Amino acid sequence: MRLILLGPPGAGKGTQATFIKEKFNIPQISTGDMLRAAVAAGTPLGLEAKKVMDAGGLVSDDIIIGLVKDRLKQPDCAKGYLFDGFPRTIPQADAMKEAGVAIDYVLEIDVPDEAIVERMSGRRVHQPSGRTYHVKFNPPKVEGKDDVTGEALIQRDDDKEDTVKKRLAVYHNQTEVLVDYYNKWAQSGQPGAPKYRKISGVGPVDTIRDNAFAALSK
């Protein structure tokens, strides 16, 4: 099972990635994790990436694709792999295709913007323990207070409505084009084209998980 998960920030990709990883016994490939590991290991690509990062630059697609290819040679990728948060742009998707990175499925988790804003802006966190609440879906017993300690809950900067809307705008401008890109490729009938599946990311987590598993078995 070799797949790419697509969807806006806050769509629940991370949660579903965990279920898919466990079911198919495959690793989740995160470019951030790969970069950190390559830098820590001092690999040639890691050293190159470190130079760019130390200078405050963005690591090029060439380096990222090189890291992906290295990562996919590792034994835990023998049964497949799951990309979450990559590729983010058409040049990255093209580079993956040119590098011959095999993909069986592209799974899109679709959630409307207003649902994401409500989902993320309603989150509240007890920082010391990491316990999370939601003002609407999982409220604390006492408004604004942690159930266990009674300490104040905070809203993380990432969850503030303006920040969520900015992240969604970036997704729509840069990454949403991949929905069309992979859809067209899936329908092209070309050899090596992945299957494209779309499920709703709204509703109970277990239902979304079951729908994801069903989509990946067709």
Side-chain angles (χ1 to χ4, degrees), residues 32-114:
D33 290 349
M34 276 190 315
L35 267 174
R36 284 186 288 275
V39 169
T43 66
L45 281 170
L47 294 172
E48 217 177 311
K50 189 175 187 305
K51 253 190 258 172
V52 177
M53 284 150 70
D54 286 349
L58 277 176
V59 178
S60 71
D61 289 347
D62 288 349
I63 293 177
I64 297 284
I65 295 294
L67 288 170
V68 167
K69 286 166 77 176
D70 283 353
R71 177 69 184 86
L72 298 185
K73 287 175 192 158
Q74 292 177 19
D76 63 339
C77 292
K79 289 183 178 176
Y81 35 82
L82 183 157
F83 285 104
D84 169 20
F86 184 82
R88 284 184 194 274
T89 61
I90 297 286
Q92 286 178 350
D94 280 339
M96 271 181 83
K97 200 194 264 192
E98 280 157 27
V101 175
I103 299 295
D104 302 314
Y105 283 92
V106 176
L107 179 65
E108 180 194 350
I109 301 180
D110 180 43
V111 181
D113 281 10
E114 56 274 19

Side-chain angles (χ1 to χ4, degrees), residues 133-212:
Y133 301 86
H134 192 283
V135 293
K136 181 176 175 185
F137 305 121
N138 177 31
K141 290 171 187 156
V142 177
E143 191 180 336
K145 305 283 184 196
D146 177 50
D147 285 354
V148 179
T149 64
E151 291 166 349
L153 301 175
I154 63 145
Q155 182 185 36
R156 288 182 303 213
D157 289 343
D158 266 5
D159 292 337
K160 289 183 174 156
E161 189 165 329
D162 285 354
T163 311
V164 174
K165 285 180 172 169
K166 279 180 192 152
R167 288 175 67 200
L168 284 168
V170 170
Y171 170 76
H172 292 311
N173 289 334
Q174 290 181 6
T175 308
E176 198 170 28
V177 288
L178 291 174
V179 167
D180 198 39
Y181 176 97
Y182 282 113
N183 228 325
K184 282 185 174 156
W185 187 20
Q187 288 169 15
S188 70
Q190 290 170 358
K195 293 174 181 170
Y196 195 94
R197 299 287 182 262
K198 177 176 174 174
I199 62 166
S200 169
V202 179
V205 170
D206 292 358
T207 306
I208 301 165
R209 176 200 63 200
D210 294 345
N211 290 341

